[in-house]
Amino acid sequence: MRRWQVAVLAVLGVLAVACDGAGVAGEAAPTATKTTATSGNAAGYPAVMAALGDSITAGVGSCLAYLNCDKNSWAAGGSNLVDSHYRRILAKSSKIKGKVYNFSEPGAQADALHTQALQAIDAKAQYVTILIGANDACARSVDAMTPVTAYREQIDRALDELKDGLPEARVLVVSIPDLYRLWQVGSRSNQAVKVWSRGGICPSMLADPTSTANADQERREAVRDRIDAYDQQLRKACSAYGEKCRWDGGAVHDVRFTLDLVNTVDYFHPNAEGQNELAEVTWPGRFDW
């Protein structure tokens, strides 16, 4: 998945201007639809936040150009299109204004989380979001997927760094989207099938999307089961972390994604509406943990 993302982003790089304003937070006034702005610094809300993960949190494909679009990130975005965690916090406390960092990287797997955690520590984040694992499952083949044991070790390594470097920070660990569900929905769309059939987009799940052969169905089910196993490890890792870590309870995995929530370039990454849905189901509401 890393290779196809790099190639596509390079080809479409000329469209970068269409995603103007995409930056660390894409600063915008906190006029989100689900929050009411208040003045001052509300108690309990973090003053600095960092988002860790992959292309989903980087907002790839959520702008007019198929590039990173941090401003539409479910976690760290600042645009009016997405009621992100950052905007929801900003609407309650001005203390966080401009102090949001999106360290997520397209193509990142769990082994990249350690470096991102160190960046969050350097930023002195008080709230850290983590969404990673789709690329570990979206390999060139089932055999190339990250083993569950290795995935857990990489998650633990990053969480250990955060616990040591930011002992008072709140950490939100988010489940991995249900890619099997995405295949089920997209395989009934001629346009999605056309895009996926070109190859390169999560081949372990989306290769030969209309095939009913037993081998292809077994392949898809193996990817589905691996994501379920990753989610179990994320839940356990967060529990082992202690009271400063909150698990989303599988909320992202439970989102019933439709094609209306993904972009029409790759029919894989969430569009702005999809990013907004991720923000909604993962929002912790209170910061008293």
Short mmCIF file of all heavy atoms in Angstrom, two decimals, residues 10-57:
data_model
loop_
_atom_site.label_atom_id
_atom_site.label_comp_id
_atom_site.label_asym_id
_atom_site.label_seq_id
_atom_site.Cartn_x
_atom_site.Cartn_y
_atom_site.Cartn_z
N ALA A 10 2.42 11.27 -6.28
CA ALA A 10 3.38 11.95 -7.13
C ALA A 10 2.73 12.40 -8.43
O ALA A 10 2.94 13.51 -8.92
CB ALA A 10 4.57 11.02 -7.42
N VAL A 11 1.91 11.53 -9.01
CA VAL A 11 1.25 11.86 -10.28
C VAL A 11 0.30 13.02 -10.13
O VAL A 11 0.20 13.91 -10.98
CB VAL A 11 0.49 10.62 -10.82
CG1 VAL A 11 -0.36 11.01 -12.01
CG2 VAL A 11 1.49 9.55 -11.22
N LEU A 12 -0.41 13.04 -9.00
CA LEU A 12 -1.43 14.06 -8.80
C LEU A 12 -0.94 15.25 -8.00
O LEU A 12 -1.72 16.11 -7.60
CB LEU A 12 -2.65 13.43 -8.10
CG LEU A 12 -3.35 12.33 -8.89
CD1 LEU A 12 -4.52 11.79 -8.11
CD2 LEU A 12 -3.83 12.84 -10.24
N GLY A 13 0.36 15.32 -7.79
CA GLY A 13 0.90 16.41 -6.99
C GLY A 13 0.61 17.77 -7.55
O GLY A 13 0.57 18.76 -6.82
N VAL A 14 0.41 17.86 -8.85
CA VAL A 14 0.15 19.15 -9.47
C VAL A 14 -1.17 19.74 -9.02
O VAL A 14 -1.44 20.92 -9.22
CB VAL A 14 0.14 19.01 -11.02
CG1 VAL A 14 1.51 18.64 -11.53
CG2 VAL A 14 -0.90 17.98 -11.45
N LEU A 15 -2.00 18.92 -8.39
CA LEU A 15 -3.30 19.41 -7.93
C LEU A 15 -3.25 19.94 -6.52
O LEU A 15 -4.28 20.23 -5.92
CB LEU A 15 -4.34 18.27 -8.00
CG LEU A 15 -4.61 17.72 -9.40
CD1 LEU A 15 -5.60 16.57 -9.30
CD2 LEU A 15 -5.15 18.80 -10.32
N ALA A 16 -2.06 20.07 -5.98
CA ALA A 16 -1.94 20.45 -4.57
C ALA A 16 -2.65 21.74 -4.24
O ALA A 16 -3.15 21.92 -3.14
CB ALA A 16 -0.46 20.58 -4.18
N VAL A 17 -2.68 22.65 -5.19
CA VAL A 17 -3.31 23.94 -4.91
C VAL A 17 -4.77 23.80 -4.61
O VAL A 17 -5.38 24.66 -3.97
CB VAL A 17 -3.11 24.92 -6.09
CG1 VAL A 17 -1.65 25.27 -6.25
CG2 VAL A 17 -3.66 24.30 -7.39
N ALA A 18 -5.37 22.69 -5.02
CA ALA A 18 -6.80 22.49 -4.76
C ALA A 18 -7.08 22.18 -3.31
O ALA A 18 -8.21 22.20 -2.87
CB ALA A 18 -7.35 21.35 -5.63
N CYS A 19 -6.03 21.88 -2.59
CA CYS A 19 -6.20 21.56 -1.17
C CYS A 19 -5.56 22.64 -0.32
O CYS A 19 -4.90 22.37 0.66
CB CYS A 19 -5.55 20.20 -0.87
SG CYS A 19 -6.19 19.42 0.62
N ASP A 20 -5.76 23.88 -0.72
CA ASP A 20 -5.14 24.99 -0.01
C ASP A 20 -5.63 25.03 1.42
O ASP A 20 -6.74 24.69 1.73
CB ASP A 20 -5.45 26.32 -0.70
CG ASP A 20 -6.93 26.65 -0.65
OD1 ASP A 20 -7.72 25.77 -1.02
OD2 ASP A 20 -7.28 27.77 -0.25
N GLY A 21 -4.73 25.45 2.29
CA GLY A 21 -5.08 25.55 3.69
C GLY A 21 -4.82 24.29 4.47
O GLY A 21 -5.00 24.25 5.67
N ALA A 22 -4.40 23.18 3.79
CA ALA A 22 -4.13 21.95 4.50
C ALA A 22 -2.79 22.06 5.18
O ALA A 22 -1.77 22.14 4.54
CB ALA A 22 -4.13 20.76 3.54
N GLY A 23 -2.79 22.04 6.50
CA GLY A 23 -1.55 22.14 7.24
C GLY A 23 -1.67 21.36 8.51
O GLY A 23 -2.42 20.41 8.58
N VAL A 24 -0.93 21.77 9.50
CA VAL A 24 -0.99 21.05 10.76
C VAL A 24 -2.41 21.00 11.29
O VAL A 24 -2.91 19.97 11.68
CB VAL A 24 -0.05 21.70 11.79
CG1 VAL A 24 -0.26 21.09 13.16
CG2 VAL A 24 1.40 21.51 11.35
N ALA A 25 -3.08 22.13 11.29
CA ALA A 25 -4.45 22.14 11.79
C ALA A 25 -5.42 22.79 10.83
O ALA A 25 -6.61 22.70 11.03
CB ALA A 25 -4.50 22.86 13.12
N GLY A 26 -4.93 23.43 9.76
CA GLY A 26 -5.82 24.11 8.85
C GLY A 26 -6.66 25.13 9.58
O GLY A 26 -7.87 25.09 9.51
N GLU A 27 -6.02 26.03 10.32
CA GLU A 27 -6.71 26.95 11.23
C GLU A 27 -8.01 27.50 10.66
O GLU A 27 -8.06 28.01 9.55
CB GLU A 27 -5.81 28.14 11.54
CG GLU A 27 -4.90 27.99 12.74
CD GLU A 27 -5.57 27.45 13.99
OE1 GLU A 27 -6.65 27.91 14.36
OE2 GLU A 27 -4.98 26.57 14.61
N ALA A 28 -9.05 27.39 11.43
CA ALA A 28 -10.34 27.98 11.07
C ALA A 28 -11.06 28.31 12.35
O ALA A 28 -10.79 27.73 13.40
CB ALA A 28 -11.18 27.00 10.23
N ALA A 29 -11.99 29.24 12.28
CA ALA A 29 -12.75 29.62 13.47
C ALA A 29 -13.55 28.42 13.96
O ALA A 29 -14.07 27.64 13.17
CB ALA A 29 -13.68 30.78 13.14
N PRO A 30 -13.69 28.25 15.26
CA PRO A 30 -14.41 27.10 15.80
C PRO A 30 -15.91 27.27 15.67
O PRO A 30 -16.62 27.52 16.65
CB PRO A 30 -13.97 27.08 17.26
CG PRO A 30 -13.68 28.50 17.59
CD PRO A 30 -13.11 29.09 16.33
N THR A 31 -16.42 27.10 14.46
CA THR A 31 -17.85 27.26 14.21
C THR A 31 -18.47 25.92 13.89
O THR A 31 -19.38 25.82 13.07
CB THR A 31 -18.08 28.23 13.05
OG1 THR A 31 -17.36 27.79 11.89
CG2 THR A 31 -17.62 29.62 13.42
N ALA A 32 -17.95 24.86 14.47
CA ALA A 32 -18.43 23.52 14.19
C ALA A 32 -19.92 23.40 14.53
O ALA A 32 -20.43 24.03 15.43
CB ALA A 32 -17.64 22.50 15.02
N THR A 33 -20.59 22.52 13.79
CA THR A 33 -22.03 22.42 13.92
C THR A 33 -22.49 21.79 15.23
O THR A 33 -23.58 22.04 15.69
CB THR A 33 -22.59 21.58 12.75
OG1 THR A 33 -21.95 20.30 12.76
CG2 THR A 33 -22.30 22.28 11.44
N LYS A 34 -21.66 20.95 15.83
CA LYS A 34 -22.09 20.22 17.01
C LYS A 34 -21.56 20.81 18.31
O LYS A 34 -21.72 20.25 19.36
CB LYS A 34 -21.67 18.76 16.91
CG LYS A 34 -22.30 18.03 15.72
CD LYS A 34 -21.89 16.57 15.71
CE LYS A 34 -22.51 15.85 14.53
NZ LYS A 34 -22.03 16.34 13.26
N THR A 35 -20.84 21.93 18.23
CA THR A 35 -20.28 22.53 19.43
C THR A 35 -20.59 24.01 19.46
O THR A 35 -20.81 24.65 18.44
CB THR A 35 -18.76 22.34 19.47
OG1 THR A 35 -18.20 22.80 18.25
CG2 THR A 35 -18.38 20.89 19.66
N THR A 36 -20.59 24.56 20.64
CA THR A 36 -20.84 25.99 20.81
C THR A 36 -19.60 26.63 21.41
O THR A 36 -19.13 26.23 22.47
CB THR A 36 -22.03 26.22 21.75
OG1 THR A 36 -23.17 25.57 21.21
CG2 THR A 36 -22.30 27.71 21.89
N ALA A 37 -19.05 27.63 20.72
CA ALA A 37 -17.81 28.25 21.18
C ALA A 37 -18.01 28.97 22.50
O ALA A 37 -19.03 29.59 22.75
CB ALA A 37 -17.31 29.23 20.12
N THR A 38 -17.00 28.85 23.35
CA THR A 38 -17.01 29.56 24.61
C THR A 38 -15.66 30.23 24.78
O THR A 38 -14.67 29.81 24.22
CB THR A 38 -17.25 28.61 25.80
OG1 THR A 38 -16.21 27.62 25.83
CG2 THR A 38 -18.59 27.91 25.68
N SER A 39 -15.61 31.27 25.58
CA SER A 39 -14.36 31.97 25.80
C SER A 39 -13.63 31.37 26.99
O SER A 39 -14.20 30.63 27.78
CB SER A 39 -14.63 33.45 26.06
OG SER A 39 -15.44 33.60 27.21
N GLY A 40 -12.34 31.70 27.09
CA GLY A 40 -11.57 31.25 28.24
C GLY A 40 -11.00 29.87 28.05
O GLY A 40 -11.06 29.29 26.98
N ASN A 41 -10.49 29.30 29.12
CA ASN A 41 -9.84 28.01 29.09
C ASN A 41 -10.60 27.04 29.99
O ASN A 41 -10.39 27.02 31.20
CB ASN A 41 -8.38 28.15 29.54
CG ASN A 41 -7.62 29.13 28.67
OD1 ASN A 41 -7.83 29.18 27.47
ND2 ASN A 41 -6.74 29.91 29.28
N ALA A 42 -11.48 26.26 29.40
CA ALA A 42 -12.29 25.33 30.17
C ALA A 42 -11.42 24.28 30.85
O ALA A 42 -10.50 23.75 30.25
CB ALA A 42 -13.32 24.66 29.26
N ALA A 43 -11.72 24.01 32.09
CA ALA A 43 -10.94 23.05 32.86
C ALA A 43 -11.07 21.66 32.25
O ALA A 43 -12.14 21.25 31.80
CB ALA A 43 -11.42 23.04 34.30
N GLY A 44 -9.97 20.93 32.26
CA GLY A 44 -9.99 19.55 31.81
C GLY A 44 -9.63 19.35 30.36
O GLY A 44 -9.15 18.29 29.99
N TYR A 45 -9.85 20.35 29.52
CA TYR A 45 -9.55 20.20 28.11
C TYR A 45 -8.05 20.38 27.86
O TYR A 45 -7.42 21.24 28.47
CB TYR A 45 -10.34 21.20 27.27
CG TYR A 45 -11.80 20.84 27.16
CD1 TYR A 45 -12.72 21.35 28.06
CD2 TYR A 45 -12.24 19.99 26.16
CE1 TYR A 45 -14.07 21.00 27.98
CE2 TYR A 45 -13.59 19.64 26.07
CZ TYR A 45 -14.48 20.15 26.98
OH TYR A 45 -15.80 19.79 26.90
N PRO A 46 -7.47 19.57 26.95
CA PRO A 46 -6.03 19.67 26.70
C PRO A 46 -5.66 20.97 26.00
O PRO A 46 -6.45 21.53 25.24
CB PRO A 46 -5.75 18.46 25.81
CG PRO A 46 -7.06 18.21 25.11
CD PRO A 46 -8.11 18.53 26.12
N ALA A 47 -4.43 21.42 26.24
CA ALA A 47 -3.92 22.63 25.60
C ALA A 47 -3.09 22.32 24.37
O ALA A 47 -2.81 23.21 23.57
CB ALA A 47 -3.10 23.44 26.60
N VAL A 48 -2.67 21.06 24.23
CA VAL A 48 -1.87 20.63 23.07
C VAL A 48 -2.33 19.22 22.71
O VAL A 48 -2.52 18.38 23.59
CB VAL A 48 -0.36 20.59 23.39
CG1 VAL A 48 0.44 20.24 22.13
CG2 VAL A 48 0.11 21.90 23.99
N MET A 49 -2.52 18.95 21.41
CA MET A 49 -2.88 17.60 21.00
C MET A 49 -2.05 17.17 19.81
O MET A 49 -1.53 18.00 19.05
CB MET A 49 -4.36 17.47 20.70
CG MET A 49 -4.85 18.11 19.42
SD MET A 49 -6.57 17.60 19.00
CE MET A 49 -6.31 15.90 18.41
N ALA A 50 -1.91 15.85 19.66
CA ALA A 50 -1.17 15.28 18.54
C ALA A 50 -1.94 14.09 18.00
O ALA A 50 -2.50 13.30 18.76
CB ALA A 50 0.22 14.84 18.99
N ALA A 51 -1.99 13.98 16.68
CA ALA A 51 -2.66 12.88 16.00
C ALA A 51 -1.62 11.98 15.36
O ALA A 51 -0.76 12.45 14.61
CB ALA A 51 -3.63 13.41 14.95
N LEU A 52 -1.68 10.69 15.65
CA LEU A 52 -0.74 9.71 15.12
C LEU A 52 -1.49 8.71 14.25
O LEU A 52 -2.64 8.39 14.51
CB LEU A 52 -0.03 8.97 16.25
CG LEU A 52 0.50 9.78 17.44
CD1 LEU A 52 1.26 8.87 18.38
CD2 LEU A 52 1.35 10.94 16.98
N GLY A 53 -0.83 8.22 13.21
CA GLY A 53 -1.48 7.22 12.37
C GLY A 53 -1.02 7.20 10.95
O GLY A 53 0.15 7.47 10.64
N ASP A 54 -1.96 6.93 10.05
CA ASP A 54 -1.63 6.75 8.64
C ASP A 54 -2.42 7.71 7.76
O ASP A 54 -2.81 8.80 8.22
CB ASP A 54 -1.88 5.29 8.23
CG ASP A 54 -3.29 4.81 8.59
OD1 ASP A 54 -4.23 5.64 8.60
OD2 ASP A 54 -3.48 3.61 8.85
N SER A 55 -2.67 7.32 6.52
CA SER A 55 -3.30 8.22 5.56
C SER A 55 -4.72 8.61 5.93
O SER A 55 -5.22 9.65 5.49
CB SER A 55 -3.29 7.58 4.16
OG SER A 55 -3.86 6.28 4.21
N ILE A 56 -5.39 7.80 6.73
CA ILE A 56 -6.75 8.15 7.14
C ILE A 56 -6.73 9.41 7.99
O ILE A 56 -7.46 10.37 7.74
CB ILE A 56 -7.42 6.98 7.89
CG1 ILE A 56 -7.56 5.77 6.96
CG2 ILE A 56 -8.78 7.40 8.42
CD1 ILE A 56 -8.12 4.54 7.65
N THR A 57 -5.86 9.42 9.00
CA THR A 57 -5.75 10.59 9.87
C THR A 57 -5.10 11.76 9.15
O THR A 57 -5.33 12.92 9.50
CB THR A 57 -4.98 10.23 11.15
OG1 THR A 57 -5.68 9.16 11.81
CG2 THR A 57 -4.88 11.40 12.10
#
